[in-house]
Amino acid sequence: MEYISDSYFILSILIFVSFCAGFIDSIAGGGGFILVPALMLAGLPPQQAIATNKVPAVFGTATAAYNFIRSKKVIWPIAIIGLIFALLGGAVGSRINQGISADVLNKIVLMILPVAAIITFIPKKNMKQNVSSFSKKELYIVVPIITFVLGIYDGFIGPGMGTFLIIAFYSILGMDMVNSSAVAKIVNFASGFGSLIMYLKAGIVIMAIGLPLLVANVLGSYIGSKLAIKKGQSFVKMILIVVFIIMFVSLTIKIINGQ
């Protein structure tokens, strides 16, 4: 697919899409639902589109995580525990992906999305913003369960994990959405980096496309995470709804096309 990197028009569109994906992903997750279809429309086979997307996605996530860390929005015990169990779940998910069809899982996620959208607007009191607010049960039982289960999803399909992490941290643990987004970025970076290494070893990443998209994604992630930190929870909620709509449309098209 070298012609894509040689076509300035197509590449410029992909760069713009990558910026938008990085911006949205840094706040609410779900950037893969924007950039992967764009890469496929540009002519990349699905496997190469997913693999090449990891280049901008991983470094964009790292940029957002850096901003959240600098602003002290990361609750580290949750991030570290979540990271470990998400990686374990990802390994399990990649093992059991032969037992459940992607079509069935897509339909399940499609049914979950409206519920997640409603949860986003349910007001919560006394949002938790530091580790002392959490009980041992939440820290050592609930967090591992959430991240392990979503890690399985990440290993099986992947796109949207960051969004579901934010919603789970918000609705189950009662975390502020900005803190939820910050922790999700740490977890996503680890799982995404591991995936990128595997794709690079397999030789299916198109770096001529991935590198310019990386620059745009990092810029979008930097701006998006800064805005999330500055504008707070209401802004994150608004972007989450945009992501829900994108995910809903994307999954609906996949199911209709039988992908």
Side-chain angles (χ1 to χ4, degrees), residues 41-57:
L41 284 172
L44 269 68
Q47 191 178 25
Q48 282 190 320
I50 293 169
T52 302
N53 171 68
K54 288 295 179 184
V55 178

Side-chain angles (χ1 to χ4, degrees), residues 5 51-52 55-56 59 196 200 204-214:
S5 60
T52 302
V55 178
F59 288 93
L196 177 59
L200 287 170
I204 56 175
V205 177
I206 305 176
M207 294 304 292
I209 299 171
L211 289 176
L213 300 190
L214 182 159

Side-chain angles (χ1 to χ4, degrees), residues 83-106:
L83 184 154
I84 293 168
F85 280 90
L87 288 176
L88 290 173
V92 173
S94 63
R95 292 275 185 178
I96 66 171
N97 63 4
Q98 296 173 351
I100 307 172
S101 71
D103 181 58
V104 170
L105 200 54
N106 281 335

Side-chain angles (χ1 to χ4, degrees), residues 191-242:
S191 59
F193 186 76
S195 298
L196 177 59
I197 295 300
M198 296 304 294
Y199 285 131
L200 287 170
K201 285 184 178 180
I204 56 175
V205 177
I206 305 176
M207 294 304 292
I209 299 171
L211 289 176
L213 300 190
L214 182 159
V215 176
N217 199 280
V218 165
L219 181 59
S221 295
Y222 182 84
I223 295 171
S225 55
K226 282 284 190 182
L227 281 173
I229 293 164
K230 181 180 179 180
K231 294 186 176 291
Q233 182 161 285
S234 60
F235 182 69
V236 177
K237 282 186 177 183
M238 181 183 71
I239 300 299
L240 267 172
I241 295 303
V242 172

Side-chain angles (χ1 to χ4, degrees), residues 49-250:
I50 293 169
T52 302
N53 171 68
K54 288 295 179 184
V55 178
V58 167
F59 288 93
T61 300
T63 303
Y66 173 73
N67 274 340
F68 283 121
I69 291 168
R70 283 188 63 192
S71 298
K72 298 181 180 180
K73 297 295 182 182
V74 177
I75 302 174
W76 282 107
I78 293 177
I80 293 169
I81 292 171
L83 184 154
I84 293 168
F85 280 90
L87 288 176
L88 290 173
V92 173
S94 63
R95 292 275 185 178
I96 66 171
N97 63 4
Q98 296 173 351
I100 307 172
S101 71
D103 181 58
V104 170
L105 200 54
N106 281 335
K107 288 176 180 176
I108 293 171
V109 174
L110 197 64
M111 290 187 290
I112 291 172
L113 285 173
V115 178
I118 292 169
I119 289 172
T120 301
F121 286 102
I122 296 176
K124 288 185 174 291
K125 297 179 180 179
N126 303 319
M127 303 302 295
K128 300 171 183 176
Q129 296 180 316
N130 56 71
V131 71
S132 63
S133 302
F134 297 90
S135 67
K136 289 184 177 180
K137 178 183 176 181
E138 289 174 322
L139 199 57
Y140 298 113
I141 297 178
V142 179
V143 171
I145 290 173
I146 290 171
T147 51
F148 182 74
V149 170
L150 289 176
I152 292 174
Y153 168 79
D154 192 35
F156 193 91
I157 292 183
M161 182 193 177
T163 305
F164 289 128
L165 277 172
I166 294 169
I167 291 299
F169 290 151
Y170 171 77
S171 61
I172 300 173
L173 292 176
M175 287 174 60
D176 177 270
M177 278 197 171
V178 176
N179 295 104
S180 297
S181 186
V183 172
K185 294 297 162 289
I186 302 297
V187 176
N188 269 2
F189 172 75
S191 59
F193 186 76
S195 298
L196 177 59
I197 295 300
M198 296 304 294
Y199 285 131
L200 287 170
K201 285 184 178 180
I204 56 175
V205 177
I206 305 176
M207 294 304 292
I209 299 171
L211 289 176
L213 300 190
L214 182 159
V215 176
N217 199 280
V218 165
L219 181 59
S221 295
Y222 182 84
I223 295 171
S225 55
K226 282 284 190 182
L227 281 173
I229 293 164
K230 181 180 179 180
K231 294 186 176 291
Q233 182 161 285
S234 60
F235 182 69
V236 177
K237 282 186 177 183
M238 181 183 71
I239 300 299
L240 267 172
I241 295 303
V242 172
V243 172
F244 287 144
I245 294 169
I246 292 170
M247 290 171 67
F248 191 88
V249 171
S250 178

